Amino acid sequence: MHPEHAQLQADRIYLGWQYILLHPDPGPPPKRPSPAEEQAEGKAGAKPSDQELMRRERFQEDLLNRPVRIFRIFMVILAVLIVGLGGFGLMQWSAAIVGLLLAAGGAAVCSYALAQGDRAVRYRVSEQQARDDRQRQERDKELFRAQEEHAQRYREWQEVKERHDRQLAWYAVAVPDEIDRIDVAGGTLPGWSALITLLGATRLYSGGHLTVLDLSEGAIAKDLIELARKGGDDPLVWVLPTDLPRLDLGATLKPEAFADVLAHVVSVSEEHRTTRDLSFDNAILERVLEVLGENATINQVTAALRALAQVGDPRDDLRFGLITATQLERIGTLFGRGVSDRVVIERAWALESQLRKLETLGTEAVRLPPARLRVVSMDRQAGVFGNRVLGTYVATALTHILRQSPAADRPWYHTIIVAGADKLRGDVLDRLMDACETSRTGLVLTYRSLTPTVRERLGRGHAAVAFMRLGNAEDARVASEHVGTEHRLELAQLTETISDSVPGLDGGYTSTIAQVEDAKEEREDDNGADLAEDLVESTEWGRTADKLGEKERVLQRSREFLVEPHQLQQLPTTSVIVTDATAQGRRVRLADANPAILTFPKTTLGELEDVRDAVMAIDGKQREDNGEPPPNLGPPPPRLDWRKERQ
């Protein structure tokens, strides 16, 4: 199969496209020699015509023979004078005859000399004409040879030019599904939107399932939701805390697991709390859940904690049916009659104050249809602390569900994306990583900044690391040290140009939970779905694909840069530096995560290493079959930096 026909592969995690031209631009075509130029060169050399040459030669000969002509005229005049003197008897005829013979002889000699000069002039002119003819023939031969050489060079140039024009320019940057996790450090909200749209779309269109926990409050999965709808899915979108009553996540957990989840939720605002403190909170919650029994709700737990902490009037909770009198009596004796332990009272009070933000959880749970894309987001208008509590609950509940689930048949079949994972505690992230690894669930974590908690976990285990724009100088320094400053990466002009006009993220998510119908049959995978076509029609990135495609044909230059901190701070919005370990060592590649690039005619889903070998083999075989040597067009033209040209 030709590499241009590469298909989406389920065992590849796509993170963007790498811009590489395997065949350099041969530059302008070789200049064709023409007779007009030869004639112009002849005129520049001032070569005379035949008449002009004859005139010049005669003029020079006349200048040389002027004394001879004068002497001949003198001899003729002398002869006439001698005849006249002899005729008038003024000179003896014998002397006159002698003088006449001498004058006539001198005139004859002069005439002969002049005739020889004329003959010499004609000879020199004929010789010059012969030389000119020979030179003209040589020029014609040289021009013919030059034109033949030009034709050969032009055919070679045309072949290389056609190969350059039809070659692929964008190659997929992917990591194998043996990678357990992808850590994305840095980036802007539009950049995250591009990366998540690309990564999620390729997962969904290859038959997988996707869960997005968006803690960024930036609606970065909005385009992905529209794309999934275009592909035939009905995504489920929860917007918390509005949809908290209809969120049943964690409802099936056992009391021990439920207590563990709630203990981690409470610790969200207490980064200093140790494992021992968590164990203490967990013990309190476990005992409370034992009293409440199976299927206890959050509002029942908070009511029990209020009774334990002696907060408010327990008769109100009795009247609303949150707890029973028997349960209230048992709660009063959990840690000693009268609850004399002030530590327990204080912790119960703290637990209640935190968990009351989750009191409506699952109170209006409905039966939801299956969906291959689930998005849980935080409402940006809600409180920051409340969103952290909700995000921690969802992440911890997902962790316990994964721990109880059997391992998937193939890795990354189910993928979880946590956007803004730096808002979660380190131990919450660790438990989620471990649960995803054991269940063979793909995990993508995006971090806005490289906090100490993030640095400790960045790339840990069998994970690939991707760096996007890092605004903070210290974060950029850490990232450059992680990648290695010796690497030279090639940045496409198109990426840098389009980065200046990346669309912003407008609005937020629209909840789908309140409008869903009761459980539907799960849709069959739409094998006829066209990812590129759906990208164009349903995403903001794809709607600009036509304009981007036009620029892609014009902006084909690139520049190299070193992985240095100031360069990482100036990365285009959609640029991603991907590092992963292979059998040959660590790879470092620069990708453009703009999903609209998939719609370009010179984009392939094959990776550079695979496509390069295939293309070179095909081109080499074609030239070998044609009996052609490899073209030799000299060195390629120098690469220009368009930023300097703008200046």
Side-chain angles (χ1 to χ4, degrees):
M1 177 182 295
H2 196 277
E4 293 184 9
H5 302 147
Q7 300 295 320
L8 194 67
Q9 300 182 48
D11 62 347
R12 291 290 182 271
I13 315 302
Y14 297 92
L15 300 176
W17 281 272
Q18 183 178 10
Y19 181 82
I20 292 290
L21 295 180
L22 297 179
H23 304 289
D25 188 351
K31 192 175 181 181
R32 183 178 185 275
S34 63
E37 295 178 355
E38 296 293 330
Q39 292 175 3
E41 292 178 0
K43 291 180 181 179
K47 292 184 178 180
S49 64
D50 293 345
Q51 293 180 354
E52 179 67 16
L53 180 63
M54 179 66 75
R55 189 188 65 80
R56 288 172 54 183
E57 290 291 335
R58 286 193 178 280
F59 178 74
Q60 293 177 1
E61 189 67 23
D62 289 343
L63 290 178
L64 293 175
N65 292 335
R66 182 174 297 176
V68 178
R69 292 182 186 278
I70 294 174
F71 184 74
R72 186 179 67 173
I73 293 172
F74 175 75
M75 288 294 103
V76 171
I77 293 173
L78 180 61
V80 172
L81 182 60
I82 291 174
V83 171
L85 290 176
F88 288 105
L90 297 178
M91 179 181 289
Q92 295 281 335
W93 278 106
S94 58
I97 293 173
V98 172
L100 183 60
L101 291 175
L102 291 175
V109 170
C110 290
S111 297
Y112 179 76
L114 291 174
Q116 289 293 103
D118 290 340
R119 190 180 298 111
V121 168
R122 290 192 296 272
Y123 178 78
R124 288 197 300 271
V125 170
S126 63
E127 284 294 318
Q128 184 63 40
Q129 291 174 346
R131 284 195 299 270
D132 291 343
D133 290 340
R134 289 194 297 271
Q135 291 177 357
R136 190 178 300 108
Q137 292 176 0
E138 288 296 327
R139 286 198 303 271
D140 291 343
K141 291 180 180 179
E142 291 177 0
L143 178 61
F144 181 73
R145 287 195 297 268
Q147 290 177 341
E148 282 190 336
E149 293 176 359
H150 169 267
Q152 177 63 26
R153 289 166 50 211
Y154 185 83
R155 285 193 294 270
E156 294 177 355
W157 175 88
Q158 192 174 33
E159 179 183 348
V160 176
K161 182 66 174 176
E162 290 176 357
R163 188 182 297 116
H164 170 269
D165 291 342
R166 70 171 184 265
Q167 72 177 324
L168 299 169
W170 297 94
Y171 299 86
V173 173
V175 294
D177 59 6
E178 290 85 0
I179 294 289
D180 297 326
R181 188 179 76 256
I182 297 174
D183 294 334
V184 181
T188 61
L189 293 181
W192 282 4
S193 173
L195 180 63
I196 289 176
T197 300
L198 171 62
L199 194 151
T202 52
R203 288 288 84 206
L204 292 175
Y205 277 68
S206 60
H209 291 244
L210 192 68
T211 299
V212 179
L213 174 56
D214 187 0
L215 306 179
S216 69
E217 303 178 8
I220 59 175
K222 196 172 181 180
D223 277 346
L224 179 60
I225 293 170
E226 295 300 323
L227 184 61
R229 289 197 180 104
K230 185 65 179 178
D233 289 316
D234 287 327
L236 296 178
V237 181
W238 288 266
V239 180
L240 305 182
T242 304
D243 288 329
L244 196 59
R246 290 174 287 275
L247 180 67
D248 59 353
L249 187 65
T252 59
L253 293 177
K254 295 180 179 179
E256 297 82 2
F258 195 39
D260 182 72
V261 171
L262 298 181
H264 277 83
V265 169
V266 172
S267 67
V268 66
S269 62
E270 303 171 341
E271 289 286 343
H272 63 280
R273 289 188 66 78
T274 63
T275 304
R276 180 180 178 182
D277 297 327
L278 288 174
S279 300
F280 185 69
D281 291 346
N282 188 70
I284 295 176
L285 291 168
E286 280 187 351
R287 294 191 180 188
V288 168
L289 289 171
E290 286 178 3
V291 173
L292 297 176
E294 296 285 342
N295 302 322
T297 61
I298 295 291
N299 53 0
Q300 289 177 312
V301 173
T302 55
L305 290 173
R306 283 193 293 272
L308 183 61
Q310 301 176 5
V311 178
D313 190 349
R315 289 176 296 184
D316 293 337
D317 293 329
L318 289 172
R319 185 169 59 254
F320 289 118
L322 297 179
I323 56 175
T324 64
T326 304
Q327 291 172 340
L328 180 61
E329 182 179 358
R330 291 185 58 190
I331 290 172
T333 59
L334 278 178
F335 296 92
R337 187 168 299 277
V339 197
S340 58
D341 190 344
R342 302 305 304 173
V343 177
V344 173
I345 294 176
E346 291 176 0
R347 286 313 303 165
W349 195 351
L351 291 170
E352 190 274 341
S353 64
Q354 302 281 8
L355 295 180
R356 65 186 307 172
K357 297 178 176 60
L358 299 173
E359 279 187 332
T360 59
L361 177 68
T363 56
E364 300 176 12
V366 295
R367 187 182 178 190
L368 298 174
R372 293 199 302 154
L373 174 61
R374 301 173 180 86
V375 178
V376 181
S377 68
M378 307 298 140
D379 189 346
R380 68 178 67 179
Q381 297 179 355
V384 175
F385 177 72
N387 283 348
R388 291 193 66 185
V389 170
L390 295 173
T392 301
Y393 173 80
V394 174
T396 311
L398 275 175
T399 299
H400 278 279
I401 292 174
L402 291 173
R403 288 168 62 89
Q404 297 175 5
S405 302
D409 295 334
R410 59 183 176 89
W412 291 83
Y413 176 74
H414 180 211
T415 301
I416 296 177
I417 299 176
V418 181
D422 46 333
K423 295 182 180 180
L424 300 176
R425 281 175 52 105
D427 54 348
V428 174
L429 289 175
D430 291 339
R431 290 153 62 94
L432 180 60
M433 294 176 189
D434 294 341
C436 288
E437 183 178 356
T438 54
S439 63
R440 305 184 76 188
T441 300
L443 179 61
V444 180
L445 303 174
T446 68
Y447 305 103
R448 196 65 178 271
S449 60
L450 299 181
T451 63
T453 299
V454 174
R455 295 179 192 176
E456 293 175 2
R457 292 159 178 82
L458 195 65
R460 189 173 66 186
H462 195 193
V465 182
F467 292 98
M468 302 186 78
R469 179 189 293 176
L470 294 153
N472 182 276
E474 179 62 20
D475 290 350
R477 183 190 63 79
V478 172
S480 65
E481 292 178 355
H482 184 98
V483 177
T485 56
E486 74 279 3
H487 293 286
R488 286 185 175 272
L489 302 177
E490 189 167 357
L491 177 63
Q493 180 185 6
L494 178 69
T495 299
E496 198 159 22
T497 302
I498 299 303
S499 177
D500 299 333
S501 58
V502 169
L505 300 180
D506 298 328
Y509 293 106
T510 300
S511 171
T512 64
I513 303 303
Q515 293 82 23
V516 296
E517 300 176 6
D518 206 359
K520 302 176 184 177
E521 294 296 327
E522 186 170 4
R523 294 175 181 263
E524 296 292 332
D525 291 344
D526 187 1
N527 295 327
D530 188 330
L531 177 55
E533 180 180 343
D534 292 347
L535 273 169
V536 172
E537 296 180 1
S538 60
T539 68
E540 187 64 33
W541 302 96
R543 281 187 281 271
T544 59
D546 292 339
K547 181 172 65 175
L548 294 180
E550 181 65 27
K551 289 188 176 182
E552 191 265 345
R553 289 188 286 273
V554 177
L555 306 177
Q556 291 192 355
R557 289 179 289 180
S558 61
R559 68 176 177 89
E560 288 185 345
F561 69 93
L562 290 172
V563 182
E564 296 175 343
H566 72 279
Q567 293 285 1
L568 296 182
Q569 291 179 276
Q570 299 173 4
L571 279 178
T573 302
T574 55
S575 290
V576 186
I577 300 177
V578 181
T579 65
D580 62 304
T582 65
Q584 293 74 30
R586 178 163 291 274
R587 291 187 300 179
V588 177
R589 295 169 291 172
L590 178 66
D592 189 340
N594 187 344
I597 294 178
L598 180 61
T599 65
F600 293 167
K602 294 184 178 181
T603 300
T604 177
L605 287 166
E607 294 189 73
L608 175 63
E609 295 80 2
D610 301 332
V611 176
R612 178 168 49 196
D613 295 341
V615 168
M616 293 305 179
I618 292 174
D619 290 343
K621 188 175 186 306
Q622 289 177 349
R623 297 190 65 87
E624 183 179 352
D625 293 341
N626 297 333
E628 301 176 359
N632 182 15
L633 300 178
R639 179 180 288 124
L640 302 177
D641 192 337
W642 62 87
R643 298 182 302 174
K644 295 180 180 178
E645 294 178 5
R646 292 175 180 172
Q647 299 173 357

